[in-house]
């Protein structure tokens, strides 16, 4: 996980002619683009990056963009790998923070690729947000060896945190977290002899005021992270770990004096983080939910939203889709339980 700073966007251009020349002859790209434009859609021909946490990035309108979680089509993107050349199709939209962005609708695989097909210029805007640590290591031929690191674990019921800490670092796994509101337990670490620490905490339910709050999507190992602040970007008030079964937060406590010179080690520590390992993961639950959904309603859907239901200790996935009758919205909930069984409920009106 790279240090959380404001994203410095690099302007990237695609030489369309070169990309067209390298494409498979089985796909008529010009025809696909023309058909999309006739429907009012925009297109982007780009190599894609599949990040540590599964986020799909591509080049669009001179910058690196991502497929938003609410636009993600599991059935279209789960087979993509970093380096693949794809044609992305979607609605051109604008907002004050992102400028022009694409509401993703479809993608077509043009040519399979590898990490070596990704340019350093495309990776650069993502490095500070921690999305591409594994890709950088692969490009540079670096293997992260954690075999001699100390395994640190804390659990309470089905909730737990596990990380590995390198030799020469101090750690603590404790119940109660004074640094984080509503903290129930945490795992903390720091270089030996230093003051303060960095940690991950499991917390009670809580709410925060959105007025004046700025949030940026980041990544910590394989987990999606939302870093938020009421002040200057980079001085985070809350770093929330997403798509996990409960409220888990990353916190910094008096660690400024040693963090910068040790940030690469901290990043590597976060790649070992495993949250709630006794509970089926979001990704595995999604695979089961999508399988049940597609068996009953076909592969395509309009939107997907997943969250953990604490009361029933299951993952709940909401699928919306277009029905054949007047293109009305259909609505289905799939619950996935710890024994890997799933049930489906149609709530369409």
């Amino acid at each position: 996980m790279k240090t959380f700073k404001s994203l410095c966007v690099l302007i990237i251009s695609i030489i369309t002619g070169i990309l067209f020349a390298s494409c498979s002859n089985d796909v008529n790209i010009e025809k696909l683009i023309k058909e999309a434009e006739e429907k009012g859609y925009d297109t982007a021909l780009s190599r894609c990056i599949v990040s540590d946490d599964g986020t799909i990035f591509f080049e669009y309108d001179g910058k690196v963009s991502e497929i938003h979680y609410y636009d993600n089509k599991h059935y279209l993107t789960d087979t993509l790998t970093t380096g693949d050349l794809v044609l992305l199709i979607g609605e051109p939209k604008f907002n004050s923070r992102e400028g022009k962005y694409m509401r993703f609708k479809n993608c077509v695989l043009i040519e399979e690729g590898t990490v070596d097909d990704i340019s350093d210029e495309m990776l650069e805007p993502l490095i500070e947000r921690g999305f591409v640590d594994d890709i950088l290591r692969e490009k540079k031929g670096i293997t992260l060896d954690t075999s001699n690191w100390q395994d640190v674990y804390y659990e309470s019921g089905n909730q737990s945190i596990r990380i590995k800490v390198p030799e020469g670092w101090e750690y603590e796994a404790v119940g109660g977290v004074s640094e984080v509101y509503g903290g129930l337990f945490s795992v903390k670490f720091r270089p030996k002899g230093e003051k303060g620490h960095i940690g991950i905490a499991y917390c009670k339910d809580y709410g925060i005021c959105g007025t004046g709050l700025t949030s940026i999507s980041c990544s910590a190992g394989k987990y999606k992270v939302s870093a938020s602040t009421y002040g200057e970007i980079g001085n985070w008030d809350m770093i929330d770990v997403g798509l996990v079964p409960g409220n888990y937060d990353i916190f910094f406590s008096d660690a400024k004096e040693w963090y910068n010179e040790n940030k690469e080690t901290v990043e590597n520590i976060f790649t070992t983080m495993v949250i709630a390992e006794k509970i089926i993961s979001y990704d595995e639950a999604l695979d089961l939910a999508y399988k049940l959904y597609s068996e009953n309603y076909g592969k395509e859907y309009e939107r997907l939203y997943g969250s953990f239901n604490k009361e029933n200790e299951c993952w709940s996935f909401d699928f919306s889709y277009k029905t054949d009758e007047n293109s009305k919205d259909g609505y289905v909930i799939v619950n996935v339980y710890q024994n890997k069984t799933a049930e489906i409920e149609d709530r369409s009106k």
Side-chain angles (χ1 to χ4, degrees):
M1 181 187 66
K2 293 290 179 182
T3 182
F4 299 114
K5 295 180 179 178
S6 59
L7 176 64
C8 178
V9 176
L10 287 177
I11 303 300
I12 301 171
S13 62
I14 302 175
I15 304 177
T16 305
I18 295 177
L19 286 177
F20 273 116
S22 66
C23 297
S24 168
N25 293 327
D26 296 332
V27 180
N28 189 329
I29 301 174
E30 292 178 327
K31 180 180 179 181
L32 290 173
I33 292 176
K34 183 178 179 181
E35 290 175 349
E37 290 176 345
E38 288 175 350
K39 296 178 181 179
Y41 292 141
D42 208 348
T43 60
L45 183 64
S46 171
R47 296 287 176 181
C48 70
I49 292 175
V50 183
S51 77
D52 315 36
D53 65 13
T55 305
I56 306 294
F57 293 95
F58 60 98
E59 294 174 315
Y60 175 67
D61 194 41
K63 64 180 184 296
V64 177
S65 300
E66 66 187 85
I67 298 176
H68 294 269
Y69 75 92
Y70 47 77
D71 288 331
N72 189 29
K73 301 292 194 299
H74 183 63
Y75 61 92
L76 292 173
T77 60
D78 65 349
T79 59
L80 294 179
T81 60
T82 294
D84 288 348
L85 181 64
V86 295
L87 181 68
L88 293 110
I89 301 169
E91 300 176 15
K93 298 286 185 178
F94 295 86
N95 71 21
S96 58
R97 189 177 70 177
E98 296 182 78
K100 186 179 180 182
Y101 70 100
M102 178 186 289
R103 286 297 306 273
F104 171 71
K105 292 293 183 180
N106 196 7
C107 70
V108 180
L109 176 64
I110 305 300
E111 177 186 83
E112 293 183 352
T114 69
V115 66
D116 293 329
D117 294 312
I118 299 298
S119 67
D120 292 339
E121 289 79 11
M122 188 174 182
L123 289 173
E124 187 63 31
L126 306 177
I127 291 175
E128 289 300 321
R129 291 168 65 188
F131 279 109
V132 292
D133 293 334
D134 57 341
I135 297 171
L136 289 172
R137 284 195 294 270
E138 185 177 349
K139 282 198 73 171
K140 296 176 181 178
I142 298 173
T143 300
L144 179 61
D145 183 7
T146 62
S147 58
N148 293 324
W149 289 20
Q150 176 66 47
D151 190 63
V152 186
Y153 182 73
Y154 192 101
E155 69 174 26
S156 177
N158 286 328
Q159 300 292 345
S160 63
I161 299 171
R162 183 186 298 277
I163 60 169
K164 288 189 173 183
V165 178
E167 293 179 294
W169 283 60
E170 299 174 339
Y171 57 86
E172 187 178 17
V174 296
V177 189
S178 60
E179 299 92 340
V180 181
Y181 172 75
L184 297 177
F185 63 84
S186 69
V187 171
K188 311 172 186 180
F189 55 86
R190 65 186 178 193
K192 188 175 182 179
E194 294 288 355
K195 297 180 181 179
H197 47 255
I198 295 174
I200 311 103
Y202 174 67
C203 308
K204 297 177 183 178
D205 291 330
Y206 58 87
I208 58 174
C209 177
T211 304
L213 187 71
T214 301
S215 298
I216 292 178
S217 296
C218 306
S219 181
K222 64 181 180 180
Y223 296 102
K224 296 179 185 295
V225 166
S226 177
S228 302
T229 181
Y230 292 103
E232 182 182 355
I233 293 292
N235 295 321
W236 304 112
D237 294 299
M238 184 182 71
I239 304 173
D240 182 63
V241 184
L243 301 182
V244 289
N247 296 307
Y248 285 83
D249 290 317
I250 294 170
F251 62 93
F252 292 69
S253 179
D254 297 325
K256 290 183 178 180
E257 291 186 5
W258 55 265
Y259 173 69
N260 284 336
E261 62 182 279
N262 292 280
K263 64 180 181 180
E264 184 174 350
T265 303
V266 173
E267 296 158 13
N268 292 336
I269 290 173
F270 277 118
T271 67
T272 72
M273 181 171 65
V274 180
I275 288 175
E277 64 184 25
K278 291 183 178 180
I279 300 176
I280 185 174
S281 71
Y282 175 90
D283 289 337
E284 187 176 3
L286 174 57
D287 288 340
L288 294 172
Y290 174 65
K291 180 180 179 181
L292 184 58
Y293 169 83
S294 61
E295 288 173 352
N296 288 272
Y297 295 91
K299 290 187 175 183
E300 297 184 8
Y301 54 81
E302 287 296 309
R303 287 199 177 188
L304 165 67
Y305 174 76
S307 62
F308 190 73
N309 186 319
K310 287 185 178 180
E311 183 178 350
N312 297 322
E313 289 200 334
C314 69
W315 288 99
S316 293
F317 295 93
D318 300 355
F319 294 88
S320 64
Y321 62 95
K322 293 293 184 182
T323 64
D324 293 333
E325 182 184 352
N326 300 322
S327 296
K328 293 181 180 179
D329 287 335
Y331 178 52
V332 167
I333 295 178
V334 181
N335 291 323
V336 181
Y337 299 95
Q338 297 310 304
N339 60 3
K340 299 184 180 181
T341 60
E343 61 181 9
I344 191 168
E345 179 183 0
D346 194 329
R347 294 192 178 181
S348 303
K349 294 182 179 180

